[in-house]
Amino acid sequence: MKEFLGIGGYQRQPEGALSWQHLTFVGLLMAAMIVLAVVLGKRNRNRDEKTKNRVLIAAAILIDAIEIFKLVVFCARGSGLAEMRHNLPLFLCSIQLIVIPLAAFSKGRVREAALDFVFVFGLLGGVLGTVGAFQNYNAYPVLGIENVASGLTHSIAGFASLYVGISGMAGMERRNVPITYGILLFFIAAAFIANAALDYNYMFLRRGDGTPYDVLYNLVHGSPVLYPIGVVALFLVYIAVFYLIVGLVRRKRRAAGAQRS
């Protein structure tokens, strides 16, 4: 248990990104994420909102409980304040620690926009934070608290995204698009401030750090101006394209339904 929690430092060497251990671990997480989302989403699709929301409440409680447990372990290892400063929910993936509970427990337009945000970004974060988390798997053993907790929380985010979509909880209405953008821009601004104050790399706005963002970082030759602008632009374009695709799919379904009737 001490070795799993990294108490006293790990005795094992990291297996490395894209090792069979990394791919096996995240493959199992992805399989569980998809199967649970499909089964529960289809089962609850035609049920009332209260029944649908119970699954989201469970996901909200679980994702935050795992993150809190991880932070408690970090503090117990003696890392304390330094670890807390570097584990603020200011990465694209970790925003779900706030937005999933917001979607589960709030009401009205805020709830609608939060559900949309979970739907739009949850699966992306789930994949990037597991399969694409090269920096973590190069730094820590696969079966260590850092990678296990991160894998579980990112998979829960991916599960919530799929579940919200399959169960029909995501409204994806145009009137909520500005709120979805607003949520993202708020966290981007917070990440810029935190990066300047703590000399850190939240939302990977400074550099790629061994993630797929390195493609953009290398493309602009590490420009401290073009790189963060490019990252933010990718986020904003992704939201627009996601809404567009969902809208096209829904129109196509309505047209097909009208033809059958």
Side-chain angles (χ1 to χ4, degrees), residues 1 17 27 29 45 49 64 66 75 98 120 127 133 149-150 152 159 163 187 200-201 222 238 242 256 258 261:
M1 184 58 68
L29 289 176
R45 184 169 183 81
E49 286 300 312
D64 281 354
I66 293 171
C75 290
I98 297 172
V120 172
V127 174
S150 177
L152 288 173
F159 160 81
Y163 174 78
F187 282 100
Y200 203 52
N201 190 29
Y238 174 78
F242 199 100
S261 58

Side-chain angles (χ1 to χ4, degrees), residues 26-163:
V26 299
L28 291 172
L29 289 176
M30 292 294 99
M33 175 187 82
I34 293 169
V35 170
L36 286 173
V38 171
V39 171
L40 294 174
K42 286 188 173 181
R43 188 191 70 180
N44 292 340
R45 184 169 183 81
N46 297 318
R47 297 185 177 182
D48 60 272
E49 286 300 312
K50 185 176 181 180
T51 301
K52 292 179 181 180
N53 200 47
R54 287 174 185 161
V55 174
L56 202 59
I57 289 174
I61 293 172
L62 189 58
I63 192 172
D64 281 354
I66 293 171
E67 185 68 12
I68 291 170
F69 174 75
K70 182 188 76 173
L71 293 177
V72 169
V73 170
F74 287 171
C75 290
R77 292 193 313 197
S79 313
L81 184 60
E83 287 288 357
M84 297 295 286
R85 291 169 61 188
H86 294 163
N87 283 277
L88 299 175
L90 293 177
F91 287 106
L92 182 63
C93 309
S94 54
I95 296 174
Q96 301 293 339
L97 295 167
I98 297 172
V99 180
I100 293 177
L102 196 62
F105 295 105
S106 64
K107 296 180 180 180
R109 290 281 299 280
V110 173
R111 170 179 163 80
E112 291 175 10
L115 284 168
D116 287 358
F117 195 94
V118 171
F119 184 39
V120 172
F121 281 108
L123 185 58
L124 176 67
V127 174
L128 291 179
T130 54
V131 180
F134 295 168
Q135 75 285 4
N136 275 9
Y137 289 94
N138 283 329
Y140 308 106
V142 170
L143 295 182
I145 185 66
E146 286 86 356
N147 284 326
V148 171
S150 177
L152 288 173
T153 54
H154 284 86
S155 298
I156 292 171
F159 160 81
S161 172
L162 288 173
Y163 174 78

